Amino acid sequence: MVCMGCDIHGFIECRRGYRDYENDSCWHAAINLDHLYDARDYDAFGCLFGVRNDFGIINDRAFEPLAAARGLPPDVSKRVRDLYEDHEGHSPTSISWAEVEKADWDVLSLQPDPYVHEYRRSADGSWQLYSRHLGAPQAFLDLSGCPPDVADRAGLHFPEGTEWLDGDRLFRTGRLRRKDVVRPDGQWKPVWTVMRTLAGLHGNEAIRLVVWFDS
């Protein structure tokens, strides 16, 4: 069976202090997610919303998702409901800015990552994650002596925590933190920035992200 690609859609909504009876909701569609996020990151989808939550390994969940399978909010704004129905999407869910704010971003994945991680020494001498290699770099191939088919998914072939030291570089198999997948300075930064800004005006519980997926 061919696995189809999966894209995310959605809206940031704000809750107003009054009910719009014409639209039968207190929630207002503030900004389309398409304006802030234009990527297809399955690990982030899984980490946040439980969609494609497997690191590419069948039947193994990668993370305990923050907001999975909640359905479309019953009080969703008419604009967002209409857009969802037009997309014929699946796996609708939502998360408030309050939940994003209090989430534990240091929590580890449920399963070891199949890909090797590269660490570099920071100014204080500690090892900091530099890159998660979705394909084994030549430096790791040379250092480990692994054939490419093994090195590309070293986490499946070596015990968790196996290390290969190369001067000020360290390659390691292991688990990822939630913030390694959804990096605060990465592709989701514009989304979080807008939600944070709106929350400053309306309150953390009055801002939410409603999402769904296609294919």
Side-chain angles (χ1 to χ4, degrees):
M1 182 177 69
V2 177
C3 184
M4 301 295 291
C6 181
D7 292 307
I8 190 171
H9 304 278
F11 247 92
I12 294 174
E13 289 190 318
C14 298
R15 187 173 59 207
R16 298 175 287 201
Y18 62 91
R19 190 174 192 84
D20 182 343
Y21 288 98
E22 182 178 349
N23 292 325
D24 194 30
S25 179
C26 293
W27 288 90
H28 169 69
I31 186 167
N32 195 314
L33 182 62
D34 289 350
H35 297 314
L36 304 171
Y37 181 87
D38 183 21
R40 182 185 279 179
D41 186 342
Y42 295 155
D43 292 330
F45 294 172
C47 178
L48 293 172
F49 307 116
V51 174
R52 300 290 179 102
N53 187 21
D54 55 16
F55 278 157
I57 307 171
I58 302 302
N59 297 326
D60 280 328
R61 289 197 310 163
F63 279 95
E64 190 65 46
L66 288 181
R70 294 178 173 179
L72 200 69
D75 56 356
V76 71
S77 61
K78 183 177 185 301
R79 183 178 179 188
V80 175
R81 183 180 298 279
D82 289 346
L83 190 62
Y84 168 70
E85 292 175 352
D86 287 345
H87 272 118
E88 298 184 349
H90 65 81
S91 306
T93 192
S94 64
I95 187 169
S96 70
W97 177 246
E99 292 177 293
V100 174
E101 280 268 87
K102 68 183 181 183
D104 182 359
W105 293 96
D106 286 311
V107 71
L108 293 173
S109 59
L110 301 174
Q111 301 291 337
D113 187 7
Y115 302 109
V116 70
H117 305 158
E118 180 179 345
Y119 293 80
R120 301 279 180 94
R121 284 201 186 277
S122 62
D124 64 6
S126 63
W127 292 109
Q128 298 295 323
L129 182 64
Y130 172 76
S131 180
R132 176 192 184 217
H133 292 291
L134 303 187
Q138 188 60 48
F140 178 66
L141 289 170
D142 295 340
L143 188 64
S144 66
C146 297
D149 61 331
V150 172
D152 281 349
R153 292 225 165 177
L156 300 181
H157 300 281
F158 293 91
E160 183 179 349
T162 301
E163 296 181 343
W164 296 263
L165 183 63
D166 182 24
D168 285 336
R169 292 196 301 180
L170 176 71
F171 294 97
R172 178 189 294 161
T173 61
R175 300 176 192 243
L176 288 169
R177 298 168 298 177
R178 195 186 299 279
K179 67 183 178 184
D180 295 329
V181 172
V182 186
R183 298 177 65 91
D185 59 347
Q187 295 170 325
W188 283 87
K189 182 178 179 180
V191 181
W192 304 148
T193 298
V194 169
M195 293 184 73
R196 182 186 299 109
T197 301
L198 291 173
L201 298 172
H202 304 285
N204 288 358
E205 293 287 356
I207 307 300
R208 70 185 179 192
L209 175 64
V210 180
V211 301
W212 59 89
F213 300 82
D214 63 25
S215 70

